[in-house]
Amino acid sequence: MGRNTEIYMFDKEKASANLYEDLQNRTFHTRTFKEYLEDRKKEIGTYDITLEKVLEKVKSDINTITADELFEIILFLSEEIYSESTGSDYATREKYLEELYDRYGLILLYELPTSTVCTSYMFQYGNYTHYFPIYEPENYELGNSDGGINIDSKKFLKFNDYMILLMKMILDKKMDGYEYEFTKTEEDIIRHITADHENNLILFKEIERECDFIKDCSSDEKDPYIQTIYYAYAFFKQSIEMKLRIDTEKNPRIVILDSY
């Protein structure tokens, strides 16, 4: 099994009304969520996720959900929908799942395409948090683990700013051999981010250092971090989109699922 990384935010009201009701009472294609959790416990053995805790969080505020709990919900829904739609084409299944997520208030901001790209993206998250540690008193309660993290959306957006600036530098240096044009919106966002962080000299120094490191990696085609160059434009575009979509008032938490 390869690495899988997905980034989510939530619609609290939809989750409380719709996801809660279905996780509590609905029999999906083959089973209920309760039966799924029971099967998972038999499969895994040590298992501290309970139906009661998940339902309580989904009902009161899904933003308090742990990455491990969200992973189980996502895995359950995916398995049930794919089982139900066997014989349907990929696009039909994905559309149905997307509609279900919307009804449940599960907003997928970014799904990384391959295991090596996941490693490349999460390496940058680790690199950023090494220089700018994200300390949150909620971390213990939110059960952050190797399988992901529940993070304050304002802090996630600071990391996202770092990604935008780093990817822009990679693109400007034409490290992938291509030249890119940017929209007025993208250029405006770059200017605003630069102004917002103008006194953060450590950030800009680290971005330059990281850009040089990535350039050095480009000499080895087998180095997984070379994916940062190949996917720089995709990372840039997606980071811009996330910056535009995340409303820190409506979406106070972001969950990064990072499973192997």
Side-chain angles (χ1 to χ4, degrees):
M1 179 179 177
R3 189 170 190 170
N4 185 66
T5 305
E6 298 173 354
I7 302 173
Y8 288 86
M9 66 181 182
F10 310 100
D11 184 313
K12 176 181 174 181
E13 286 70 30
K14 285 184 178 180
S16 180
N18 302 325
L19 182 59
Y20 172 78
E21 176 64 26
D22 283 2
L23 290 183
Q24 182 179 42
N25 298 313
R26 178 178 171 182
T27 299
F28 285 74
H29 182 56
T30 65
R31 53 189 167 174
T32 64
F33 185 58
K34 178 181 179 181
E35 291 169 335
Y36 162 82
L37 290 180
E38 291 171 349
D39 290 341
R40 285 283 283 170
K41 187 172 183 179
K42 293 175 185 176
E43 174 188 343
I44 297 174
T46 304
Y47 194 67
D48 59 0
I49 294 176
T50 67
L51 177 66
E52 292 73 23
K53 284 183 179 179
V54 173
L55 289 178
E56 179 184 355
K57 292 176 181 180
V58 171
K59 180 64 175 176
S60 60
D61 185 0
I62 194 172
N63 289 288
T64 64
I65 202 162
T66 68
D68 289 341
E69 289 165 340
L70 179 63
F71 174 80
E72 296 300 342
I73 293 174
I74 296 300
L75 182 59
F76 167 68
L77 293 176
S78 298
E79 287 183 355
E80 290 300 302
I81 296 311
Y82 289 153
S83 174
E84 181 179 1
S85 57
T86 299
S88 301
D89 61 77
Y90 176 80
T92 300
R93 291 199 304 271
E94 289 301 303
K95 186 174 187 300
Y96 182 31
L97 195 59
E98 182 181 334
E99 291 172 349
L100 196 65
Y101 279 11
D102 179 65
R103 180 171 177 269
Y104 289 157
L106 305 174
I107 304 168
L108 177 60
L109 289 167
Y110 195 12
E111 180 177 7
L112 282 295
T114 68
S115 180
T116 52
V117 176
C118 292
T119 298
S120 178
Y121 183 89
M122 291 307 294
F123 176 83
Q124 291 307 327
Y125 178 81
N127 186 57
Y128 173 82
T129 55
H130 174 75
Y131 288 95
F132 305 98
I134 296 176
Y135 295 117
E136 293 191 85
E138 303 94 335
N139 277 359
Y140 179 77
E141 289 79 3
L142 292 176
N144 291 325
S145 67
D146 291 339
I149 184 171
N150 181 318
I151 181 176
D152 182 291
S153 58
K154 293 178 182 177
K155 295 178 180 179
F156 175 80
L157 284 173
K158 288 186 180 298
F159 159 67
N160 198 62
D161 285 351
Y162 159 85
M163 284 294 289
I164 291 172
L165 293 176
L166 175 59
M167 296 308 119
K168 180 65 161 52
M169 182 175 289
I170 290 172
L171 297 173
D172 285 346
K173 289 178 179 291
K174 304 177 186 177
M175 290 168 63
D176 64 353
Y178 295 96
E179 185 168 349
Y180 296 91
E181 293 185 2
F182 303 96
T183 68
K184 182 179 182 304
T185 296
E186 291 166 349
E187 294 286 7
D188 287 345
I189 287 174
I190 290 291
R191 281 194 291 272
H192 287 143
I193 293 174
T194 303
D196 288 343
H197 297 279
E198 63 179 344
N199 296 321
N200 192 346
L201 299 181
I202 295 176
L203 176 66
F204 291 102
K205 183 178 292 187
E206 177 51 31
I207 287 172
E208 290 182 7
R209 184 185 296 117
E210 185 61 21
C211 192
D212 290 339
F213 169 76
I214 292 170
K215 184 178 180 179
D216 290 340
C217 291
S218 65
S219 61
D220 183 0
E221 286 291 331
K222 295 182 179 179
D223 193 313
Y225 304 121
I226 197 174
Q227 295 296 323
T228 308
I229 296 176
Y230 296 152
Y231 275 84
Y233 189 61
F235 284 163
F236 174 81
K237 298 291 282 189
Q238 199 67 35
S239 297
I240 290 286
E241 181 180 325
M242 287 193 285
K243 187 171 183 67
L244 292 171
R245 291 184 68 187
I246 296 171
D247 182 330
T248 57
E249 295 299 319
K250 294 180 180 178
N251 317 114
R253 311 291 301 184
I254 300 296
V255 172
I256 303 174
L257 295 186
D258 188 39
S259 58
Y260 294 83

